[in-house]
Structure formats: C-alpha cells, structure tokens
C-alpha cells in the first residue's frame, strides 16, 4: 500500500476469517488492512478477487455434518456392498468445491485449485527452451515409462470382450 499505518480491515475479509473451520491455516489467505477508506476504495477492485477463492477454500475445508452425508438416490436400497466404502452426495457451493472435492486444508493443492487457471502449465508452454535433464532424472523417467508399460500390458491381458469393471 501507501506505507501509512493500517487503521481499518476489509470487512469482507473479517467475515470470511470468522467462518474458517478450526485448523484452517492457509498462508494464501488473510485479512487485508488499509490506512483509510480512500485507500481501501482504491484497491477494492483488485482486492475483492481474493474473496471468492478464499471462500471456496473454506467451503472445502469445512467438514460436513452427518445430516449432509446422504446416499445418492441411485444407490438407495442397494444391499450387496462388498466393503465399507459407500457413495454419498455432498452439496457444492460452486464449481471450485465440486472439482476439488472435500480435501482437508493441510492437503497440498495445485496452483489451479482456487480459480481453475493452470498458471504453471501456461507459463511452461510459453517457455520454448529445451529441457536438459541430469542422467539420474532420465533414468527415473525411463523407469516410470517401463512400469507404465507393464501396467498397460497387464491390463491388456486382463481385458476380455463383454467384461465389466
């Protein structure tokens, strides 16, 4: 900002801060402070863009209550479960929460998680230089490819016409 001492906080940030669940500790988000109303108004257009990703992160980190864990209609009455895993419907506030699912706040998320824009991938595409890997990294890439090929071969042997998963 302008360098003057802060005298007020963004009211939207304060409201969001109060809705954070216990243990929510994300360094990307925090209350913004301003020296005066004029400074706040001057920065509002840019600053308000931080509120939606913060609200989405809070929504994702907030655990659902038992009442919200409802079996989807398509599974009601199904009794032939083979394990303990069960499907359940969850409400989504917006597309961000729906895409990310309900991840705890301590789970690392990719750079596109808050807004859907893969910034690192876009920057990488603009980089026209050829990467030069160290021999150890090349060996790791080759090993990953070999393992991937083995998995595809095993899956190919297991597939039969008319089979289901």
């Amino acid at each position: 900002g302008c360098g003057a001492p802060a005298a007020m906080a963004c009211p939207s940030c304060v409201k969001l801060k109060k809705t954070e669940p216990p243990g929510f500790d994300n360094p990307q988000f925090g209350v913004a402070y301003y020296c005066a109303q004029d400074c706040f108004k001057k920065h509002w257009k840019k600053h308000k863009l931080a509120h939606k990703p913060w609200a989405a992160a809070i929504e994702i980190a907030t655990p659902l209550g038992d009442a919200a864990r409802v079996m989807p209609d398509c599974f009601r009455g199904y009794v032939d479960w083979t394990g303990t895993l069960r499907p359940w419907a969850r409400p989504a506030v917006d597309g961000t929460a729906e895409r990310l699912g309900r991840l705890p706040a301590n789970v690392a998320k990719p750079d596109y998680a808050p807004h859907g824009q893969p910034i690192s991938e876009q920057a990488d595409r603009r980089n026209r230089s050829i990467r030069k890997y160290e021999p150890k990294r090349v060996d790791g890439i080759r090993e990953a490819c070999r393992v991937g090929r083995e998995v595809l071969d095993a899956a190919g042997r297991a597939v039969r016409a008319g089979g289901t998963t």
Side-chain angles (χ1 to χ4, degrees):
C2 63
M8 64 170 289
C10 168
S12 297
C13 288
V14 171
K15 185 177 176 183
L16 282 168
K17 188 73 175 167
K18 288 180 183 176
T19 64
E20 287 181 352
F24 184 87
D25 185 26
N26 191 324
Q28 289 180 306
F29 309 113
V31 177
Y33 294 92
Y34 296 93
C35 62
Q37 188 70 25
D38 292 338
C39 196
F40 176 63
K41 284 181 180 179
K42 181 179 171 186
H43 292 96
W44 173 248
K45 195 171 189 177
K46 185 176 178 184
H47 168 70
K48 70 179 180 178
L49 300 175
H51 293 148
K52 188 172 182 180
W54 190 5
I58 290 170
E59 166 64 21
I60 291 162
T62 303
L64 287 174
D66 290 336
R69 295 177 184 265
V70 178
M71 184 79 68
D73 290 336
C74 59
F75 290 103
R76 295 228 173 117
Y78 187 80
V79 293
D80 294 334
W81 302 106
T82 58
T84 58
L85 186 64
R86 301 289 182 271
W88 56 284
R90 62 171 172 74
V93 170
D94 64 6
T96 304
E98 189 175 347
R99 283 192 311 273
L100 291 176
R102 295 202 149 270
L103 295 175
N106 63 340
V107 173
K109 296 167 191 70
D111 65 343
Y112 57 81
H115 43 70
Q117 296 297 318
I119 307 300
S120 59
E121 288 182 28
Q122 291 169 347
D124 194 43
R125 283 189 201 129
R126 287 187 217 114
N127 182 0
R128 298 284 185 203
S129 63
I130 297 173
R131 288 186 184 152
K132 184 174 180 181
Y133 293 115
E134 299 294 323
K136 185 176 180 181
R137 185 123 188 230
V138 171
D139 291 342
I141 293 169
R142 286 188 176 133
E143 178 65 12
C145 291
R146 186 190 63 74
V147 170
R149 179 75 260 160
E150 285 182 15
V151 170
L152 289 173
D153 290 343
R157 288 189 299 271
V159 173
R160 299 285 180 259
T164 61
T165 57

